[in-house]
Amino acid sequence: MPAKTGKQYIERLKKANNNVYIHGERVDDVTEHPAFKNVVQSMAYLYDLQYEKPEKMLYTSPTTGNKVGMTFKVPETIDDLIARREAIQEWARTSGGMMGRSPDYMNAEVMAAGAASDFFAEGDPMFAENAKKYYEYARENDLSLTHTLIHPQVNRAKAQAEQKDANVALHLVEKKSDGIIVDGVRLLATQGGITDEIIVFPSTVNKSGAQDDPYSLAFAIPNNTPGLKFLSREAFDYGKNTWDHPLSSRFEEGDAVVSFENVFVPWDRVFVCGNSAICNRTFKETNAVVHMSHQVVSKNIVKTEFILGVALSIMDAIGIDQFQHVQDKGAEIMLVLETMRSHMYKAEHNAKIDKWGVMTPDFAALDAARNWYPRIYPRLVEIVRILGASGLMGIPTQADFNHEEIGPILDRGLQGKHLNGYERVQLFRLAWDLTLSAFGARQMHYEYYFFGDPIRMGMTYFNGYEKEPYKNYVTEFLKKDQSAKPHFINA
């Protein structure tokens, strides 16, 4: 079938009736439940946008001839990479980059794994065929996907096999003739309750040893598979209108603990089974981490554009844009934006065909960007908060403005340089939802840990960086001036 529409996305969720729990109850219909219905509508719009802008968002499937999502496309040229990025950013602009797990994120992963499917043959030839077929299935059916990577935080000082309850983490229970049985808990599936399927993959950061083989799994199953439960955290969409909560009322994706209770996974849905060595190398050797990073950096460029727009609008709204310290803070955001754009330009224009025949971005540029952005994003949020100052506290609701008696007072008393009170407060409520609301706090925490612990990521980055040329540079520099060397050194 061709790329799906928003209506089809919603119909699938209704029909699937995924096993989702939130606020102490099972959800009968995620498309109507207050915690999910608004983000479901935002997701539906992404799929409708594919048909509003088909020249940018769709391409012709190489196997069926149907029009399918551009973000599934295996890039063969630099122009293909740019086309994928433009589609990614088209989606990101609908939310100001606030939907970190929009469908294109996992589309990049399954695309890379499908193109590099031969990698999985190391475990079993059928796993390679599974990866290839699953990519094609996801592309042709325009699947929406969630994923889960990490084990519960029980005791991080011990390996999973050494935990006091070694079976709490998702693990292999049994191999059968037609599939495997898995049981246990995984963290932390964003959009877990509002997608078609879940992909279980190993962490990109935490490496495993042979004792972790029972926990070393990669597979994909429908979200309504018997025994699969999504235990969602408290929703940060409080049922408020979009004027009062302009971001959280539309883009609260949700995060869920995932419980597998003796879940059956057919063999044709398994990619890795009980092999930590393969799991440790999957993301790197398939280049999935590169293509996923390409999506993330693309999204973060849009997010920074949005934050810059909010900051500049605040400056203009209350007439502070002429002050030196204010301009300096605006310049900070601009520098982040242009640096991220530069990383993207280098990544795309230095791209090369990899061993799987895929045009793959320069990972050095993307790796720097994905390590830096989690460290700088809290500062971007802080700048908006500082610029807004007390204005982020003085934010009446839309109902206050609609009140016959106090509305006119607020409209006059909270006016800006060129805005009436209603318009200025609407802007400042946006800035508040970006920075100080539960949604805004989650965004900052989410960006900080997007690819894992930034310190651990920094260690990996440091250890993998080519250091010798720089040390040699200093060594050669010092060798050029021997005139001051004490005579006894050569004795």
Side-chain angles (χ1 to χ4, degrees), residues 59 76 218 231 242 254 313 361 460 475:
Y59 78 106
E76 298 177 352
L231 316 178
T242 58
S313 297
T460 301
T475 300

Side-chain angles (χ1 to χ4, degrees), residues 153-155 158-168 215:
Q153 296 173 308
V154 178
N155 184 349
K158 294 181 179 292
Q160 290 306 311
E162 299 169 341
Q163 300 288 336
K164 60 183 179 181
D165 182 357
N167 289 330
V168 67
Y215 309 93

Side-chain angles (χ1 to χ4, degrees), residues 332-357:
E332 280 192 65
I333 304 176
M334 293 169 183
L335 289 169
V336 172
L337 176 58
E338 293 305 322
T339 302
M340 294 292 285
R341 286 173 173 167
S342 296
H343 282 306
M344 179 59 69
Y345 185 88
K346 180 185 177 186
E348 291 178 345
H349 288 81
N350 284 4
K352 293 180 173 58
I353 296 290
D354 68 9
K355 64 185 288 187
W356 314 110

Side-chain angles (χ1 to χ4, degrees), residues 450-469:
F450 196 102
F451 277 104
D453 178 3
I455 304 304
R456 189 186 292 263
M457 285 184 62
M459 291 171 59
T460 301
Y461 186 83
F462 179 86
N463 291 329
Y465 201 88
E466 181 55 55
K467 307 177 191 68
E468 292 306 313

Side-chain angles (χ1 to χ4, degrees), residues 92 192 198 379 426 491:
I198 185 169
R379 174 57 179 165
Q426 184 180 31

